Each structure stands twice: as structure tokens, then as C-alpha cells.
Amino acid sequence: MDTTICDLIRFNELLDSTIDPKNLDEEFITLRQVELERISKNSVVKHFSFIALSYAKLMELTVLLAGTYADNCQIQNFGDLMVNPRHIDVCILNARLIKEDYGISGSLPLWFKKQVHESIGSRYSEDLGRMVVDPSLLSHFVEKGLLLRTVKKERHRGLSDQFRDFIPGDAQLAFSTYVEEVKPIAHNPVEVLGCGGGRVACLDVASWLASSTVLNIVKGSLITDIMNVLREVMSDDYLKSINKKFEKAHNSLSYVNMGRKNFVNFPYDEEIPIAEWAEINNTLCHFTLDGYGMIQSELDKSLSNPCYKSPLLNSFLYNTPNTQDTMDSMDQKHHVKFQHHLTPPKQSSMTNRLN
């Protein structure tokens, strides 16, 4: 038995033995995801089906956790699992250099993102104005002086609060002038920005962030990462069943959250009429580990019988030529060196700095 299969068996045995539905959380699944990524990194084609089913087991745990959060109205945990990226870097632009040496007077973040796109081409993507780039690629721009630094955003802390002390003195002066100009506005800027402290400080931070930084998503939400792997390897029927469960989790969260406005400790209030419990129980998820057990059964069949073709997997996995050596799409990561360089401005001082 080859090393990868042995590692996969050990991984799944450890996963089965350490699952505790009552204490399951995002961190546990994330740690297992990292372990599985390590195993799958250099796998060959014959391992595709086993790795895909192992990822599916993590998906089933994620489904179970989403349902638990939804049924118990744990909105922040649910949002972290389903939507919020686990790691965002705030890339602080060298605004003075870009303006003076490159002569950029428009949007600095937009200009910078274009430079990234031109430098790394297809290895760049953008989501709602935020970059999705491997952090190692951005070191190129730090070396060239366009980025001062990158700072990891604290997940549950507002950008304004975290980066209040990062604003350089010249930027503070510039934005203070801006604040004076907008004083006649009737609404309260502090409330609009949702941050505490003085009015000037909040406007300074928000304005500086908008004009001098770019957000880079280093690690997306857990559900997004796992789904990106499964989308091309699992059957359409299985993917539809997963999406249906997540839809139910969203509906459950909305139902419970809305109900809390009318009932105390909804939906567990003993005073709720019996007639309403049928609707409540039908709306809540009440997810179990049955799906997890089904995936494990398919994995056992696949491991014991090399000719077995699981109906849960995309048929292309069994039609892939055996001459392919590496699994180049499983972990959704790219580690490619820069092939192009920024075009320096005409100024001689900048040419010397970048060369």
C-alpha cells in the first residue's frame, strides 16, 4: 500500500475517532482541512476519488455545524462559517511614492490592482473590489516600494478601530482638512461609519483606508474553500443536496432570528402553543451525522475495491488518463514566480530604485 493511501486511512481514522458533535467548531474542521491539503498536495490521479470523498466528509461536518449554528441563532458563528473570510490582509500602499514618482492622481487602490493584474495575469482574481492573490506574490510589490506593508485584519474587529494608529502624519493632516469641509453635512458621520470616538478620527481612518489600502483575501470562508474542491469532483446530485441543506440552514437562521423578536428563548419556550411546534421542527435543520456516515461507507467501498465507482463522485474521475502525474487543482493554490515586472516611470530616480 502506497504512502498516500496510508496517510488517507490514518487521516480518516483519526477524524472518525475525534469527532464530537457537541463540541464541533470551525477551528476543528479547518485543522483537518489543512492536514488533508498536505496529504493531497502531490497526489497522483489514482488517489483522486479517495481524496474527494475525504473532503466530502469535511463538507458533511461543515453542513452539520451550519445547521447547529442556525438552529441556535448563533449569527456570528454562522456568518464566519458561511461568508466571512478567515484571513484578510490589508495592503498599505506607499501613497507618497505612487503619487510623486508615478504621477498618479486618481484612485491609488484601483491603479495598484491594475499593476497586480498586469504582473500576475491569470493568477489574479477580484471579488467585490477586493483582491484574491497569494500573499507570496505581493512580496514583489513590497520589494519595489509600492506596498509599505501588509497587516492581517482581526476577524471580529472593525477596520477603523484596528487601523486608527496606522495613518501617517501627512495623511492625517490632509484628511483633517477634508473633515472641515464636510462639517455642514446634517447626518452624523460617526454613526454612519459605525465606530466610536471622535468625529475627526473616524473620518480620517475611513478615508485613509479607502484611498491608501487594498484588501486581499488570503483565506476564504471554510465553506467556500471546501466547495471549491468538491465542485469539480462530486456528482451534480450530491452538490445539489449540499446546497439544499445550506439553504435550509439559512432559512432556519432567519426563522429563529425573526421569532426571537416575539418569543422569549424562541424556539424553546415552553409557552409556545403545541400547534406551532410542527412548523418549528419542520423549519429547523436538526442535521445529523447520517451524511457523514454515507460518505464513509462509499470511501470504505472504494478502498476495498479498486474497481468500485462511487455514484457520489463525478464520472470524470474514473475517465481521467492515468498518465497525468499530479493533482493540480485539488487545493486551489498557485505558487508561481513572477514572469513580468512593473514598467517604471520615466524619472531616473525611480528607474534606479526599481532596477
Side-chain angles (χ1 to χ4, degrees):
M1 188 177 297
D2 64 45
T3 303
T4 299
I5 295 298
C6 290
D7 288 342
L8 283 171
I9 291 176
R10 282 194 292 268
F11 168 82
N12 281 280
E13 288 179 345
L14 179 62
L15 182 62
D16 294 344
S17 64
T18 54
I19 290 176
D20 181 359
K22 294 182 179 179
N23 295 311
L24 184 65
D25 58 19
E26 182 190 38
E27 182 181 8
F28 175 85
I29 302 176
T30 296
L31 290 174
R32 304 292 83 76
Q33 177 198 11
V34 171
E35 294 170 2
L36 188 52
E37 284 179 347
R38 178 184 56 78
I39 295 172
S40 64
K41 199 168 187 179
N42 299 310
S43 299
V44 294
V45 172
K46 65 180 180 179
H47 300 141
F48 275 26
S49 60
F50 310 128
I51 293 174
L53 290 171
S54 298
Y55 270 103
K57 288 175 68 176
L58 295 184
M59 174 59 81
E60 292 294 336
L61 292 180
T62 308
V63 168
L64 174 64
L65 187 57
T68 301
Y69 287 154
D71 289 352
N72 291 280
C73 203
Q74 294 175 269
I75 297 176
Q76 179 173 286
N77 290 335
F78 186 86
D80 285 346
L81 187 69
M82 301 291 292
V83 180
N84 297 334
R86 288 169 287 174
H87 181 173
I88 294 179
D89 277 345
V90 177
C91 305
I92 303 177
L93 302 175
N94 190 337
R96 176 178 292 181
L97 181 148
I98 294 174
K99 290 178 180 178
E100 295 179 357
D101 291 341
Y102 282 87
I104 304 301
S105 58
S107 170
L108 303 190
L110 180 60
W111 177 85
F112 177 76
K113 284 190 286 187
K114 288 180 179 178
Q115 308 312 305
V116 175
H117 186 277
E118 292 174 2
S119 295
I120 62 180
S122 62
R123 298 182 296 282
Y124 168 91
S125 62
E126 191 170 324
D127 174 29
L128 298 177
R130 300 170 295 184
M131 297 191 305
V132 185
V133 181
D134 190 301
S136 63
L137 300 180
L138 294 180
S139 62
H140 170 79
F141 296 96
V142 176
E143 294 172 357
K144 300 305 180 185
L146 297 183
L147 280 181
L148 294 176
R149 60 189 295 198
T150 60
V151 181
K152 183 177 180 180
K153 179 189 178 299
E154 295 178 23
R155 197 175 190 190
H156 296 138
R157 187 180 178 190
L159 281 168
S160 293
D161 290 335
Q162 182 180 348
F163 288 88
R164 194 178 307 281
D165 297 329
F166 283 76
I167 306 177
D170 55 342
Q172 288 185 14
L173 180 61
F175 287 123
S176 294
T177 302
Y178 169 77
V179 172
E180 294 299 322
E181 295 175 354
V182 300
K183 275 185 178 180
I185 294 178
H187 67 269
N188 186 342
V190 174
E191 294 180 359
V192 173
L193 290 169
C195 58
R199 177 182 181 184
V200 174
C202 287
L203 275 175
D204 282 353
V205 179
S207 300
W208 175 76
L209 286 167
S211 64
S212 303
T213 68
V214 178
L215 297 181
N216 182 43
I217 301 178
V218 180
K219 196 73 171 175
S221 66
L222 179 60
I223 176 59
T224 299
D225 274 5
I226 299 179
M227 185 60 80
N228 283 342
V229 174
L230 297 184
R231 188 172 288 114
E232 301 298 328
V233 296
M234 303 302 291
S235 69
D236 289 340
D237 287 341
Y238 178 75
L239 293 176
K240 288 178 181 177
S241 70
I242 290 297
N243 286 329
K244 187 175 181 179
K245 289 180 180 179
F246 282 125
E247 183 179 355
K248 186 174 181 62
H250 278 284
N251 292 337
S252 173
L253 181 65
S254 298
Y255 184 77
V256 176
N257 186 46
M258 180 175 59
R260 283 185 180 276
K261 298 177 181 178
N262 301 313
F263 303 107
V264 178
N265 296 324
F266 182 87
Y268 307 110
D269 193 331
E270 296 179 356
E271 297 181 0
I272 293 178
I274 294 178
E276 294 184 21
W277 277 102
E279 177 185 354
I280 293 171
N281 286 322
N282 184 57
T283 304
L284 298 183
C285 298
H286 295 303
F287 292 153
T288 67
L289 284 172
D290 289 350
Y292 180 92
M294 176 186 67
I295 300 295
Q296 180 59 50
S297 176
E298 291 298 303
L299 183 57
D300 289 339
K301 294 175 184 177
S302 299
L303 289 170
S304 61
N305 181 4
C307 297
Y308 179 73
K309 297 182 178 181
S310 173
L312 299 181
L313 295 173
N314 190 313
S315 59
F316 97 88
L317 286 178
Y318 300 107
N319 299 323
T320 305
N322 290 328
T323 55
Q324 183 178 344
D325 293 325
T326 60
M327 191 172 184
D328 57 4
S329 63
M330 186 59 75
D331 63 3
Q332 301 296 311
K333 292 182 178 179
H334 304 278
H335 300 285
V336 184
K337 293 183 179 180
F338 284 95
Q339 302 298 322
H340 307 286
H341 298 279
L342 292 174
T343 301
K346 295 181 180 180
Q347 290 92 328
S348 59
S349 62
M350 195 60 201
T351 301
N352 293 332
R353 184 180 298 153
L354 293 181
N355 290 334

